[in-house]
Each structure stands twice: as structure tokens, then as C-alpha cells.
Amino acid sequence: MPTNSITAKLLALCEPVVEAAGYELVDVEYRRESHGWVVRVFIDHAGARQAAPIGFDDCERVSRELGPVLDVEDPVPHAYHLEVSSPGISRPLRTAEHFRRAVGSTAKLALDRGLDGRRNFKGEIVEVDGDTVAVRVDDGRVYRLPLADLRSARLVPDWDEVLKTGTRHVSKG
């Protein structure tokens, strides 16, 4: 999925460190922001079905583990800020397993090359088959999107449900 070679290196370096610390690597973001370059690492509890959300202590622990590894491997050619964060309510989806856990939820997906002349999709995740995710859009059509062409994907929160219950639910269909 990552089109940026630095992001790909960061994913490869971060994943084993995050997993060894007992968490799941959700995604890595590498971008320039107003205060400089940022490497943002999104983590969740392994299996991502824990009742407790990722907290400050979790982020701090992973940051302490990642910092030295990134310093030694030096995948970023300039100064940057390392941030470790929870994936949040509009969590990114990167792997087939992330999409499997999100079946029934609504997501926004962007493709690099696209499908049927279209690059952006929003709809219910209905199935994951190998390296393809099936998404049902508003008009009822189901598109089978190759994960290899994915530029980005995020869950779309059901804000009515969030405000009503105060939980981190995402939309289901």
C-alpha cells in the first residue's frame, strides 16, 4: 500500500518493534507539517478488540521502544518528530485483517490507479477475499478493490451513535 519508500521502510522497521511490545501496528504516516517533518505511528491493542482504548502510557511505552531503533536504522534523511498515537475513531485500514474486522462498517477508500474510471469510494465493507475488499456504495453496486492499489482507507464514524452512546463505534452499513 505505501507508495512512499520512506513510509515502506518505516512500516518494516516499526512493525516488529510494536508487536514485540504487545501491540498491533495499525499504520505509519510520514509527512511534512507546519512544525516540520512528522513520523506518526498508530498502534492498537493486539487483535484490536480490547475494551480499553490506547492510552498515553501505551503510546509512551511504544515511543521509548521505537526511538532507539529509528535512531540506529535512520530511515528518514532529515530531522523529524516521532509521535505514537491511537488510531482514533476514523481508524486507518491497511491490511486484509483490518478490513476483515471492519466488515459491516462504512469506510472511505482512495486508490492509486482506480477501478472503472473511479479512484474514490465510500461504502460498506461487505467482504474480504484474499487481497481484495468488496465495498457496497450508496447506489447498491459492489466494487471489488485490490488492496495493492490502495492509497488510503479510513473508517467513517457513525456520529449519531457516538454522540448517543459516548462510545467509539463506527458505522455499520
Side-chain angles (χ1 to χ4, degrees), residues 12-172:
L13 288 170
C14 292
E15 193 147 39
V17 175
V18 170
E19 287 178 1
Y23 298 92
E24 174 187 11
L25 178 65
V26 175
D27 205 0
V28 172
E29 193 175 81
Y30 166 67
R31 59 190 287 174
R32 184 163 181 79
E33 295 185 353
S34 62
H35 62 280
W37 287 93
V38 176
V39 171
R40 192 168 289 120
V41 178
F42 296 98
I43 63 168
D44 208 342
H45 295 285
R49 292 292 182 204
Q50 298 284 333
I54 288 292
F56 179 79
D57 290 342
D58 300 305
C59 295
E60 184 179 46
R61 176 177 177 209
V62 171
S63 181
R64 280 194 314 267
E65 298 287 329
L66 275 177
V69 171
L70 296 178
D71 287 346
V72 168
E73 296 296 330
D74 202 22
V76 179
H78 45 260
Y80 64 90
H81 301 278
L82 173 63
E83 296 179 7
V84 178
S85 177
S86 77
I89 195 165
S90 59
R91 71 181 293 127
L93 304 170
R94 181 176 53 89
T95 67
E97 182 56 33
H98 292 167
F99 281 97
R100 274 188 206 90
R101 285 189 224 133
V103 167
S105 299
T106 301
K108 282 186 177 180
L109 302 93
L111 302 179
D112 280 324
R113 290 179 299 280
L115 183 69
D116 296 340
R118 186 174 174 175
R119 289 187 181 175
N120 297 304
F121 298 84
K122 178 183 175 190
E124 177 189 359
I125 300 168
V126 293
E127 178 185 31
V128 179
D129 184 17
D131 294 334
T132 304
V133 60
V135 177
R136 181 179 300 116
V137 298
D138 284 343
D139 68 5
R141 289 184 62 190
V142 174
Y143 290 90
R144 298 196 175 281
L145 309 176
L147 292 177
D149 191 33
L150 230 115
R151 173 178 295 164
S152 66
R154 286 193 171 276
L155 291 178
V156 176
D158 179 345
W159 290 109
D160 291 335
E161 184 68 21
V162 171
L163 294 172
K164 182 172 80 177
T165 64
T167 62
R168 303 181 315 156
H169 294 300
V170 292
S171 59
K172 296 285 187 183

